[in-house]
Amino acid sequence: MDLSDLSAAAIAREIGAGRLSAREITEATLARVDAVEPQVGSYLSVLHEIARETAARVDERIRGGETLPLAGVPLAVKDNMCLRGTRTTCASKILESWVAPYTATAVARMLEAGCVPIGKSNCDEFAMGSSCENSALGVTRNPYDLSRVPGGSSGGSAAAVAAYEAAIGLGSDTGGSIREPGAFCNLVGFKPTYGRVSRYGLVAFASSLDQIGPLARSVEDAALAYDVMAGHDPMDATSIDRPVEAAAGALPTDLRGLRIGLVREFETKGSGTELDAIYRRAYNDLEKLGAVLVDVSLPTADYGVATYYLIAPAECSSNLARFHGVRYGLRVDAPDVRAMYDRTRAAGFGPEVKRRILIGTYALSSGYYDAYYVRAQKARTLIARDFAEAFAACDAIACPAASCPAFEFNAKSDPYSMYLMDYYTIPMALAGLPALSVPCGWATPEGGEVPMPVGLQLCAPLFAERLLLGAAHAYEQATQHARARKPAIAQLEARS
Ligand code: GLN
C-alpha cells in the first residue's frame, strides 16, 4: 500500500496505535511530492526540513503518551497564511521573499494537533481569483486533467490534496475560494461560519468575509480539521466566543427528518444539461436518505456578485495599503518616498490586484461612497435576511457549488466571466454562513475528453456546522462519488 493514500483519520489512528510513525508518512508524502510536483505544481515552497523535524517531534510526543487527533497528518498550507520561518508570499511579487515572523492561529492549532506541514501552496494573488491563474509565482494544474485549472483561489491546497501530496489542505474562502476548488478537484471544501476559525495570521483580503477552512478527501477528515481549528482566539477581534460542538465523532449516516431547501431562483440555471441532471440526481439522493425537500426563495441572491465586487475590493483597497515598500517585502527605491511607494506597488502587484484596488478606492471615495459602498452594504443585509427567512422553512440548503466543472487555462480571459464563477458561493459568504462543497458526480466538459468532478453545495444557518457536516457525510457515504478516483497523473502528462 502507498502510505500517501491514507486518509487523515486513518493516519492519526495508525500513528496513535503505534503501527505507523509520522516519519514514515512524511517520507512517503515527500516522495509523492517529488514524483508529481513537476506536473501539478501545488506548492510554492516544499518544507522538507521543517516537515522532517515536525514529524520527529510528533513521534516523540506519541512515544511520550500524548493523544494527538491529527498525529502525522501531512498538511498543505495556503501561502496567504503565516507559518513562522517560512516564505509567505500570497502568490504575489510584492511578498515574494517575505518570511513570516509568527504562525497563524489556525495553522498553529493544526500543528499542535499533530499535523506535519509539507508545503506552502499556490493561490491566486492575495486570494483574488477563481482559478489560480492570478498567481504571480507559479502555475498549478488540476490533477484530474492537467490542461485544466484546479480552481481558486485555494487551488494549490486543493491540487495538493487531490494529488495525494497532503491529506488535508488549508484554504481561505472570501467568496468561494475553498468551495469552488473543492468542487473542481473532487474534494470536500468547507467554509465555516464567519468568525468560527481565527483569521490571526491570515493575510487579509476582505476582512468581513475571509474565513479559513479545510479541503479534504472526505467529510470525516474535514470535520477532524474543523474540530481542531474552530474556537475563540483573543488575537482576532472578529473571532466568535461561543462553544464549538465537535463534529467528527458524531457524523450521522441518514438524513431522516432534515428539511433541505432547493432555491427557486437557482433552478432555471442550466436546465436540460448534463450538470442539471447530476444535480437533480443529487437532490433525489438526499430525499432517498430521508430528507424532505422544500422549495425556498432567495430573491436577492442574484445581486450577490455585484454586491461582493464592491465590498471585497473596498476592503482589499484598504487592507493592501500596507504594502508600500516600508514594512513588508519588495521595495523599489526612488529619489523620494512617494515615488518609492508608487514604484513598489506598480512593480509588486499583478493586474487583478491593481484592478481591485482601483475599484475599491473608487467605491470608497467621497461622492461615490453612498452610491456604491453603502448601497452594497444594504444589499448584503437583504441577502442575509433572505437566508434567515429561508431557514425558517428548512434546516439546510442544497445547490450547485459552481456553474461548470474545471475549465481550461485562459478560458476566462475577461474579468467578469471569472467573477461569475462565484455566482453560487458568494451569497453564503456575504451572509457569513457555513457552507461546503461535496463531490456529487462527474461530467465531461464541452470539448473535453476526461470526466471532471462536480460539487454539490450544502449550506446551513450560522453555527450549524455540525448539522452541515453531518448532512454532507450521510450523502457522501451513501453515494461515494469521490471514491476510487485517484488521479492518474503519469498517464495525463502526455496530454498537457
Ligand atoms: N473568486 C472570488 C474573488 O476573486 C473569491 C475569492 C476568495 O474567496 N478568496 O474574489
Side-chain angles (χ1 to χ4, degrees), residues 101-167:
Y102 65 97
T103 299
T105 301
V107 178
R109 288 188 182 177
M110 293 296 275
L111 300 186
E112 180 55 30
C115 280
V116 172
I118 299 298
K120 302 294 298 291
S121 55
N122 197 14
C123 55
D124 288 292
E125 186 175 0
F126 286 100
M128 298 173 199
S130 302
S131 67
C132 253
E133 290 168 289
N134 292 338
S135 169
L137 303 181
V139 175
T140 303
R141 298 171 185 279
N142 192 305
Y144 288 93
D145 180 345
L146 299 172
S147 67
R148 292 178 186 273
V149 301
S153 63
S154 314
S157 282
V161 177
Y164 292 71
E165 299 176 86

Side-chain angles (χ1 to χ4, degrees), residues 78 127-130 152-153 172-177 205 308-309 356 422:
K78 185 175 179 178
M128 298 173 199
S130 302
S153 63
S172 63
D173 191 309
T174 305
S177 278
F205 157 17
Y308 173 89
Y309 278 98
R356 305 254 181 139
D422 301 306

Side-chain angles (χ1 to χ4, degrees), residues 224-493:
L224 279 169
Y226 167 75
D227 287 350
V228 162
M229 285 190 288
H232 183 241
D233 175 15
M235 300 300 282
D236 169 4
T238 57
S239 158
I240 288 157
D241 192 0
R242 178 184 165 125
V244 179
E245 288 179 324
L251 296 167
T253 48
D254 70 56
L255 300 173
R256 253 173 298 163
L258 201 74
R259 297 166 305 162
I260 294 188
L262 302 183
V263 183
R264 198 177 310 150
E265 288 78 10
F266 293 169
E267 284 290 283
T268 49
K269 306 258 174 333
S271 51
T273 62
E274 187 185 6
L275 273 187
D276 197 44
I278 289 174
Y279 285 117
R280 284 225 164 269
R281 192 186 58 204
Y283 305 147
N284 282 339
D285 287 340
L286 294 171
E287 203 169 21
K288 277 193 220 144
L289 282 162
V292 180
L293 300 183
V294 298
D295 185 40
V296 296
S297 175
L298 298 174
T300 56
D302 208 30
Y303 298 105
V305 172
T307 304
Y308 173 89
Y309 278 98
L310 286 166
I311 292 174
E315 294 185 20
C316 123
S317 72
S318 161
N319 275 325
L320 271 56
R322 74 191 62 166
F323 301 109
H324 47 33
V326 178
R327 298 185 59 178
Y328 312 94
L330 181 75
R331 172 184 299 177
V332 181
D333 281 317
D336 62 80
V337 154
R338 182 62 218 228
M340 188 272 283
Y341 289 171
D342 290 351
R343 284 191 205 169
T344 297
R345 289 166 69 83
F349 291 135
E352 183 57 30
V353 174
K354 285 179 182 155
R355 183 178 297 119
R356 305 254 181 139
I357 291 173
L358 289 173
I359 294 172
T361 306
Y362 183 81
L364 289 175
S365 56
S366 84
Y368 297 101
Y369 184 83
D370 288 332
Y372 291 113
Y373 184 69
V374 171
R375 211 176 220 202
Q377 293 293 11
K378 288 180 179 166
R380 182 177 188 175
T381 302
L382 293 178
I383 291 168
R385 217 176 269 167
D386 276 359
F387 276 105
E389 268 170 41
F391 285 130
C394 68
D395 306 300
I397 285 173
C399 67
S403 46
C404 62
F407 44 89
E408 291 184 311
F409 287 90
N410 303 315
K412 314 261 172 209
S413 45
D414 70 295
Y416 192 60
S417 63
M418 191 69 90
Y419 295 172
L420 284 174
M421 283 315 299
D422 301 306
Y423 180 85
Y424 291 110
T425 49
I426 278 176
M428 297 75 179
L430 289 169
L433 298 167
L436 57 76
S437 171
V438 57
C440 71
W442 298 80
T444 308
E446 238 183 308
E449 294 158 34
V450 188
M452 297 301 288
V454 179
L456 172 71
Q457 185 177 199
L458 297 171
C459 159
L462 294 170
F463 309 112
E465 278 90 358
R466 187 153 122 155
L467 175 143
L468 179 64
L469 288 162
H473 177 76
Y475 174 78
E476 170 199 62
Q477 293 303 306
T479 55
Q480 301 281 358
H481 289 294
R483 198 180 48 187
R485 288 272 195 164
K486 186 169 177 175
I489 292 161
Q491 283 97 296
L492 284 174
E493 194 177 7

